[in-house]
Amino acid sequence: MPVSSLRLPTLAFLLLMLPGIPGLTVQVRAQGESCPYFFRDSLLWMDGSAESLLQWQMVDPSDGGAWRRDTLDLAGMLNPGEGEWLYVSEADTNHIGKAELLSPELPETAQLNDLTLSFYLALETFEGNGIAYVELRQDDEWIRIFEVADDYYGKVRIQLGDFAGKPMQFRFVFDDEGEWSWGMGLDEILLTGRKAECGDGICEPSEDCPGDCTFPEVAPGWIEPGTDLKGNQVNYSRFARGDRCDDCTQEVELGFSFTFFGQSYSTAYINSNGNLSLGQPNLAYTPAPFCQTGPAMIAPFFADVDLSKGGEIWYYTDPEKHFLIVSWLQVGYYGADSNAAEQHNTFQLILTDGTLRAVGQTAIPAGVNAIFSYGAMNWTTGDGSGGRNGFGGSAANVGLNRGDGENCDDYGMFDRPGRAYYGSSLDLGCPPNEVNALEGQTLLFNATEGDYAPPTLALRLNGEALAQGHVLTWETFAPDSWELFLVEAARDTLLPQELITLPAEEAPALSLGVFSMEIPRPQLKPWYRITGLSMNGTLVMSNWVSLADETAGDFQLLFIGPNPTDGPFTAKVNIHQAGQLAWQLTSMAGQVLSQGTWEASAGTLQESVSVEGLPTGTYVFTVRSKDTIQYRYVVKL
């Protein structure tokens, strides 16, 4: 499903991001999934229950009323979270005045990074009366770090930056400003931090851990300019405006049908400012948060590139009409002072027809048709977009944007140096990320649906029952992450039996990320599973697959071909018992394109299936009986 843009409530509130406080960022977001901060410790917690309030102090309101924790109907509109919450309400008295909730004093937070305070807040005002704010006490001084002065429901996240390392205390305040108002609710107050530890794989400025700060120069999916996907030397084309271009574009013929949010395109515009657009060029140089209106856009790094400040753009179109490669090499930004290498970015975009299964050393999952890869990334923002020395201002965008203002996949925005990735600004409401987190990364997208497709350690198992034995095929999108594979068989999946253990380097590989092996038919063991041991010690198990014996009342989809095909293909099915089979040809999104039934006798059935009129791409061919469903991917040339 395409990702729809989040719309926060209309707010006329004040967020105080005090300029004299370094490292302070406030992020307000709708309720939902939290940003992926890894390896974090909880330092402070309050969820509205009596147990969590033991160390907190509730200061009585100055003019009456009191803090409450329950779910009374009268205060239902003040519930910002779930279950019990804490609230003050003017309904308790005619006039509250000021109510405070004080946290316990916290010990020193030295040796912690990403110190972050988050909480759910509900504020109901009346005719402009009422304010909620949060203050932090440090060195005997109360510092206001957040304020809102209009109705609000949602989650607030505050990055506390340089406040770490000293004792601190928080107070949450509701003030009716001397007039009648409704009140305020609080829930799930959480202070977290992350220890700076060597060996955690995270490069922190405050730690001396060379092993954590070693990153590849380019991504494993990077294609060296001048070569095709197989490493063959080929001729690239230079971007038409050469190295003197600022805010310019060039239309190119793809040679294949590229599907973007369900719409097919045969041409695209390479735009100098780190993106490729469809249907019309995109000359904008200042990114706006996705989902913005405008041209349909695929953005490996939408920011203000100025080629006169250094760098080139090269592209290559596959003569076999399957892919396009566009590389931004050592490009500078508008306003850069010089052509120094530290002010340059290197990144790459590959569009495909959906048939590619590997790019460089990266296996490509089915459905992926847009790949972003990164080398060194040293700036985010041009001077014309509010940047200074390459950072700050309007954050650079990475992701997909349909251009309708509603549908996009926002991988994230980037506006500063460093290696922290907090997540999607759109989906998760996360703060902007740090650009060096992209270095050495390959990002995969299913642009047909508008989804990010992160590589995982998942194992997908398929099997075939043939006369000579059983053939197992398993697939992983992280082929270099495995220590060994264990093949198990079972009559009862609660009692599996080990068949064979294979070191990963000895597993019989069909292609990058796809393994296949044939084993003799075991006695009375129709179920199979693959368990993988990853390099970091994680055990990952595949799905169980049941393979029927030849004498069972079922069928086996043996073969479809030719595949890939530019005409009809033949499906070959081994029928174990006479009966009716139903078949369907669907898009990767599940849309039924053609279907039918076959009346089959026991034995081998061969039937022709047409793909006439279908655009180039990958499809799913499914055959089913009463008890069995089997499928194969079909590639239309």
Side-chain angles (χ1 to χ4, degrees):
M1 295 290 290
V3 181
S4 297
S5 75
L6 293 177
R7 295 287 181 251
L8 294 174
T10 301
L11 303 176
F13 59 83
L14 172 64
L15 295 182
L16 289 184
M17 302 169 61
L18 304 181
I21 304 175
L24 177 62
T25 303
V26 180
Q27 178 72 28
V28 182
R29 53 173 285 241
Q31 296 186 32
E33 184 180 357
S34 62
C35 300
Y37 290 90
F38 298 106
F39 310 107
R40 299 184 67 81
D41 291 336
S42 297
L43 309 173
L44 176 70
W45 170 250
M46 193 288 291
D47 67 353
S49 68
E51 294 80 7
S52 70
L53 286 168
L54 291 177
Q55 303 299 320
W56 290 69
Q57 180 183 358
M58 293 184 286
V59 179
D60 290 337
S62 55
D63 292 332
W67 287 96
R68 297 181 179 272
R69 55 167 193 86
D70 53 29
T71 55
L72 293 175
D73 292 339
L74 182 62
M77 63 183 176
L78 299 178
N79 180 7
E82 297 180 354
E84 292 183 318
W85 70 93
L86 201 66
Y87 73 94
V88 287
S89 172
E90 297 276 41
D92 293 331
T93 183
N94 190 43
H95 178 42
I96 287 180
K98 184 183 294 185
E100 299 180 3
L101 175 68
L102 275 72
S103 77
E105 185 167 321
L106 302 172
E108 290 191 19
T109 55
Q111 308 303 316
L112 290 176
N113 294 291
D114 294 334
L115 195 63
T116 303
L117 175 70
S118 64
F119 52 92
Y120 284 94
L121 169 70
L123 176 67
E124 283 281 346
T125 63
F126 180 75
E127 294 186 351
N129 304 321
I131 186 173
Y133 57 88
V134 181
E135 294 182 330
L136 180 150
R137 179 174 171 266
Q138 198 165 65
D139 296 331
D140 294 324
E141 179 185 2
W142 284 103
I143 304 167
R144 189 164 301 190
I145 58 175
F146 172 79
E147 182 176 306
V148 58
D150 202 354
D151 296 353
Y152 178 72
Y153 286 82
K155 190 167 188 176
V156 178
R157 182 186 298 277
I158 306 172
Q159 289 180 268
L160 297 175
D162 290 349
F163 288 104
K166 296 181 181 180
M168 62 179 61
Q169 186 180 19
F170 298 94
R171 66 181 177 192
F172 298 78
V173 181
F174 170 73
D175 186 348
D176 66 9
E177 300 180 297
E179 301 291 341
W180 198 90
S181 188
W182 280 109
M184 179 179 83
L186 288 168
D187 204 3
E188 298 183 27
I189 299 172
L190 176 64
L191 178 69
T192 60
R194 180 158 52 80
K195 293 180 180 179
E197 295 180 342
C198 290
D200 62 5
I202 301 175
C203 185
E204 300 288 359
S206 60
E207 66 185 24
D208 182 16
C209 304
D212 289 345
C213 297
T214 301
F215 296 88
E217 292 184 3
V218 293
W222 179 266
I223 302 302
E224 195 64 32
T227 64
D228 63 12
L229 300 187
K230 297 180 180 179
N232 301 316
Q233 295 294 316
V234 295
N235 293 321
Y236 274 56
S237 298
R238 195 181 191 191
F239 189 60
R241 298 288 294 277
D243 60 2
R244 309 305 302 173
C245 166
D246 182 31
D247 307 332
C248 49
T249 186
Q250 179 180 346
E251 186 176 16
V252 295
E253 294 285 339
L254 296 177
F256 58 89
S257 179
F258 177 74
T259 306
F260 189 65
F261 285 93
Q263 184 172 347
S264 295
Y265 297 87
S266 59
T267 65
Y269 292 87
I270 301 172
N271 304 305
S272 61
N273 289 323
N275 65 86
L276 186 148
S277 58
L278 302 165
Q280 65 185 91
N282 178 33
L283 297 179
Y285 58 85
T286 297
F290 289 166
C291 303
Q292 67 189 68
T293 58
M297 185 192 317
I298 302 155
F301 200 74
F302 177 23
D304 192 1
V305 171
D306 184 353
L307 294 176
S308 69
K309 301 298 183 180
E312 298 178 318
I313 302 172
W314 291 83
Y315 66 95
Y316 174 70
T317 53
D318 174 28
E320 297 182 0
K321 302 181 178 181
H322 292 298
F323 61 88
L324 165 73
I325 305 173
V326 184
S327 299
W328 286 258
L329 305 173
Q330 293 287 305
V331 294
Y333 64 89
Y334 179 80
D337 293 333
S338 69
N339 290 335
E342 61 268 18
Q343 294 182 312
H344 291 164
N345 285 346
T346 294
F347 52 95
Q348 186 176 83
L349 164 65
I350 302 177
L351 297 190
T352 86
D353 61 356
T355 65
L356 300 187
R357 300 309 306 274
V359 169
Q361 297 301 308
T362 299
I364 303 302
V368 166
N369 60 350
I371 300 107
F372 302 168
S373 293
Y374 299 87
M377 302 293 290
N378 297 303
W379 62 267
T380 67
T381 321
D383 288 8
S385 304
R388 292 295 179 267
N389 299 317
F391 296 104
S394 298
N397 278 344
V398 173
L400 312 176
N401 186 55
R402 189 175 185 179
D404 59 3
E406 297 181 359
N407 296 283
C408 62
D409 190 321
D410 163 50
Y411 179 79
M413 302 181 73
F414 297 80
D415 70 351
R416 69 195 74 183
R419 298 196 177 275
Y421 173 71
Y422 304 115
S424 163
S425 309
L426 171 72
D427 308 6
L428 308 177
C430 302
N433 303 285
E434 298 177 358
V435 71
N436 303 111
L438 293 172
E439 295 180 353
Q441 299 296 315
T442 294
L443 308 180
L444 308 177
F445 293 85
N446 178 345
T448 300
E449 299 299 317
D451 290 333
Y452 172 57
T456 70
L457 286 178
L459 294 170
R460 299 182 182 180
L461 178 63
N462 290 297
E464 291 182 306
L466 304 179
Q468 67 270 28
H470 291 170
V471 176
L472 303 179
T473 302
W474 64 98
E475 185 174 11
T476 170
F477 303 140
D480 298 325
S481 300
W482 302 100
E483 187 79 25
L484 57 85
F485 295 109
L486 171 66
V487 182
E488 297 173 289
R491 177 66 173 177
D492 180 343
T493 55
L494 297 177
L495 300 170
Q497 172 188 344
E498 178 181 337
L499 290 183
I500 187 172
T501 300
L502 292 169
E505 65 270 16
E506 297 178 11
L510 285 178
S511 61
L512 186 64
V514 181
F515 302 88
S516 180
M517 65 177 296
E518 182 179 311
I519 58 176
R521 185 187 301 275
Q523 295 294 318
L524 301 177
K525 296 183 187 296
W527 291 90
Y528 292 96
R529 180 176 67 184
I530 301 293
T531 298
L533 175 64
S534 73
M535 293 295 188
N536 64 9
T538 302
L539 284 175
V540 180
M541 295 180 181
S542 76
N543 51 303
W544 282 101
V545 169
S546 175
L547 299 184
D549 292 334
E550 287 184 326
T551 56
D554 213 331
F555 72 91
Q556 187 69 35
L557 178 56
L558 300 177
F559 168 82
I560 61 170
N563 188 24
T565 180
D566 57 1
F569 65 86
T570 297
K572 184 177 180 180
V573 185
N574 187 16
I575 309 296
H576 303 142
Q577 183 173 331
Q580 186 180 79
L581 300 180
W583 64 269
Q584 284 186 338
L585 187 65
T586 66
S587 69
M588 295 296 292
Q591 178 185 7
V592 177
L593 304 173
S594 60
Q595 59 186 340
T597 58
W598 299 322
E599 295 294 338
S601 302
T604 301
L605 172 72
Q606 293 192 147
E607 294 285 349
S608 178
V609 179
S610 174
V611 292
E612 183 179 359
L614 297 180
T616 299
T618 303
Y619 300 88
V620 182
F621 178 69
T622 305
V623 180
R624 70 182 69 209
S625 67
K626 181 179 178 181
D627 300 316
T628 302
I629 301 176
Q630 295 187 10
Y631 68 92
R632 295 287 189 276
Y633 291 114
V634 183
V635 177
K636 168 70 184 302
L637 297 176

